[in-house]
Amino acid sequence: MTTTEKINFSVADAVKEGLTQKEKSLPSWLFYNKEGDRLFQEIMKMPEYYLTNCEYDIFQKYKNEILSLISADVEGFNLIEFGAGDGLKTEILLKHFVDQKATFNYKPVDISKNVLNLLQQRMQKSIPDLDIEPINKEYFSALDALNEARKNPMVVLFMGGNIGNFELKNAHSFVNQIAEKLRTGDRIIMGFDMKKDPEMIRSAYNDAQGITRQFNMNLLTRLNNELDANFDLEQFKHYPSYDPQTGTTKSFLISQKKQTVHLKAIDTTIHFKAWEHIHVEVSQKFDEDMIENIATEAGLKVEKYFYDEKEYFADVVMRK
Ligand code: AVJ
């Protein structure tokens, strides 16, 4: 097999586009190959990564209130989850809903068939009475498919603070696009990481053990392996920043000297100036005004903020 036959073309296109722009960048979905998934699991266990427990605590504490809110005045509801992951947190809600004999079905949506299979196995084992139907589609086509058949209201779950990976203006348009497909009375439950002590935020993306550093550097290893590139990892450094004015955390890989990198599989040569950066991730932090603006622009009303005890994180219910 030749090199060009082996390469994954969506990775190739994204990398070529990102590294040949004036300001170099790589899309953050590139983090999540096998090693990236493993490192992200490690990140979630780090003492500095406060996000992990917040949503877990919120669901434990408010599962009943959440159910009351979404099941009032309806005969049943369709619970759609975007990017369900391992389902650990969703399981708390689902178990409670089933125990309370709520009328609903659960439709996890993901573009990875593997993720959906694992999730389905897990849920069938832990909640045998759950009505679960995985949808292996992109988010918006999944909503379209559901809209054709459904009678009951829809509740769209988007947890984990994943909305933070969008640049703020893209977060607005993402919520706008979901809301366009909703009917009056439908809801979105979305997890937002809130503004807090800047030192604390920066540590979450710059941990003492250097796991986040490895997570970021793994991007370069991935390009070396998949695109036959010759990034010298010693010559790049991981640098995260947090700007309290905008609430934006950004992660960069910074070239520590003038150097040239060749990506053989896509026949591309990239020149770096000394201290030139590659922008690799955004992690937006929010306050209530920002969330209010997102909802209002999309024609939604914020019904309720559910906070963890320290108010680090909010699961927000918005209604059309
Ligand atoms: C999965 C997007 C919520 O931004 O906090 C963690 C990803 N990146 N550490 C986040 C991430 C570096 C994470 N999200």
Side-chain angles (χ1 to χ4, degrees):
M1 194 155 53
T2 68
T3 323
T4 36
E5 279 170 322
K6 262 195 315 205
I7 63 172
N8 172 332
F9 281 96
S10 61
V11 170
D13 290 346
V15 170
K16 187 156 188 167
E17 193 192 313
L19 293 184
T20 55
Q21 295 169 100
K22 194 152 180 288
E23 188 198 357
K24 296 180 173 63
S25 68
L26 289 168
S28 52
W29 56 261
L30 270 177
F31 284 128
Y32 302 95
N33 65 350
K34 199 159 180 242
E35 177 65 358
D37 286 344
R38 186 189 72 76
L39 287 165
F40 185 61
Q41 294 296 322
E42 292 300 309
I43 285 175
M44 289 197 292
K45 289 184 218 148
M46 320 183 308
E48 294 95 337
Y49 198 68
Y50 59 85
L51 289 90
T52 308
N53 293 330
C54 291
E55 210 163 36
Y56 196 86
D57 294 348
I58 293 169
F59 287 172
Q60 282 292 2
K61 191 161 169 197
Y62 296 110
K63 56 193 179 189
N64 203 33
E65 236 183 283
I66 293 171
L67 178 62
S68 306
L69 196 63
I70 64 183
S71 63
D73 305 321
V74 303
E75 281 168 31
F77 58 91
N78 303 285
L79 186 64
I80 323 306
E81 180 166 20
F82 286 175
D86 65 7
L88 183 74
K89 290 175 290 185
T90 322
E91 194 181 287
I92 303 168
L93 288 183
L94 297 175
K95 224 183 200 129
H96 182 72
F97 294 179
V98 168
D99 285 347
Q100 296 300 307
K101 310 223 178 312
T103 308
F104 76 106
N105 52 53
Y106 172 57
K107 300 183 197 284
V109 181
D110 208 289
I111 46 165
S112 158
K113 221 173 162 86
N114 184 41
V115 162
L116 289 176
N117 286 339
L118 290 171
L119 185 73
Q120 185 166 23
Q121 281 165 24
R122 175 193 184 118
M123 295 304 181
Q124 273 167 351
K125 204 165 155 217
S126 61
I127 321 173
D129 290 337
L130 179 68
D131 177 356
I132 174 173
E133 189 198 328
I135 305 182
N136 186 209
K137 286 196 165 85
E138 300 210 313
Y139 297 159
F140 298 114
S141 7
L143 286 183
D144 286 337
L146 276 166
N147 269 335
E148 279 177 22
R150 60 137 173 165
K151 181 174 95 259
N152 286 331
M154 177 139 86
V155 179
V156 179
L157 253 186
F158 191 58
M159 306 179 340
N162 288 322
I163 189 72
N165 263 176
F166 290 102
E167 283 186 33
L168 190 56
K169 64 173 191 315
N170 298 335
H172 275 262
S173 47
F174 181 71
V175 176
N176 290 346
Q177 285 179 72
I178 301 175
E180 271 171 28
K181 298 190 185 288
L182 300 184
R183 300 177 190 159
T184 307
D186 288 347
R187 292 182 170 90
I188 302 177
I189 304 180
M190 195 170 276
F192 292 90
D193 192 23
M194 304 302 279
K195 290 182 179 174
K196 58 184 65 61
D197 182 349
E199 307 279 4
M200 193 179 166
I201 293 174
R202 246 173 56 83
S203 311
Y205 297 90
N206 198 26
D207 60 287
Q209 290 173 80
I211 297 169
T212 313
R213 179 183 172 278
Q214 285 180 53
F215 179 71
N216 281 258
M217 296 303 275
N218 178 54
L219 270 177
L220 301 184
T221 307
R222 180 170 186 182
L223 303 195
N224 284 350
N225 294 338
E226 288 180 34
L227 299 180
D228 208 354
N230 64 348
F231 283 94
D232 177 355
L233 271 58
E234 300 281 296
Q235 303 304 337
F236 286 86
K237 77 184 273 184
H238 158 64
Y239 177 76
S241 71
Y242 175 68
D243 178 359
Q245 208 167 26
T246 56
T248 310
T249 308
K250 290 182 185 169
S251 285
F252 302 99
L253 290 166
I254 297 187
S255 173
Q256 304 194 74
K257 62 170 196 185
K258 180 173 188 268
Q259 56 185 320
T260 297
V261 175
H262 189 60
L263 298 91
K264 207 169 162 197
I266 53 171
D267 196 18
T268 301
T269 302
I270 307 292
H271 299 282
F272 289 91
K273 290 178 268 198
W275 306 112
E276 184 173 354
H277 65 270
I278 311 174
H279 177 208
V280 295
E281 192 180 35
V282 168
S283 264
Q284 184 63 44
K285 309 304 168 198
F286 296 87
D287 57 33
E288 289 193 0
D289 287 342
M290 294 163 80
I291 295 170
E292 219 69 49
N293 286 340
I294 288 177
T296 308
E297 196 189 294
L300 305 171
K301 215 175 133 1
V302 175
E303 261 187 314
K304 182 90 192 169
Y305 293 92
F306 291 106
Y307 281 103
D308 62 293
E309 205 178 317
K310 295 187 168 129
E311 306 207 344
Y312 288 160
F313 196 94
D315 278 292
V316 181
V317 184
M318 299 179 274
R319 185 167 195 229
K320 180 149 167 170

